[in-house]
Amino acid sequence: MATQQSKEHRVGEWASIRSTSPEIAEAIFEVANYDEKLAEGIWEQQGNDEVLMRAFEKTDLDVLTWDNVPVERKNV
């Protein structure tokens, strides 16, 4: 079983490759229960409300990025 540290590293790398904020990537994996195939499907949808709410709960930033597309807190 993966440790928390290895999960964080993997999610961070996954986010970087996909030009997605780490907070969004982490929220995607939480919703997908760390199933990478399911996470990829969620990421491809580009706009899951549950993911975005979780992602903004993780940060004070007002703008996050999902596949190089800015997402504003006020629009969630």
Side-chain angles (χ1 to χ4, degrees), residues 1-64:
M1 181 169 213
T3 66
Q4 186 62 32
Q5 185 178 15
S6 68
K7 282 183 184 180
E8 288 171 6
H9 173 73
R10 184 172 173 196
V11 170
E13 183 179 330
W14 192 91
S16 179
I17 291 168
R18 289 162 181 79
S19 300
T20 298
S21 297
E23 296 86 355
I24 289 179
E26 186 178 338
I28 287 171
F29 271 87
E30 287 173 2
V31 169
N33 201 29
Y34 291 91
D35 177 324
E36 192 163 348
K37 187 173 183 172
L38 183 55
E40 187 70 32
I42 293 169
W43 178 80
E44 289 173 356
Q45 293 173 5
Q46 294 200 9
N48 181 301
D49 288 341
E50 181 181 0
V51 167
L52 292 172
M53 289 187 323
R54 285 182 185 224
F56 279 109
E57 287 174 358
K58 299 175 181 303
T59 185
D60 291 334
L61 295 173
D62 289 325
V63 178
L64 297 175

Side-chain angles (χ1 to χ4, degrees), residues 57-76:
E57 287 174 358
K58 299 175 181 303
T59 185
D60 291 334
L61 295 173
D62 289 325
V63 178
L64 297 175
T65 306
W66 190 317
D67 191 21
N68 261 342
V69 177
V71 179
E72 295 184 39
R73 181 185 296 273
K74 68 181 181 182
N75 295 330
V76 175

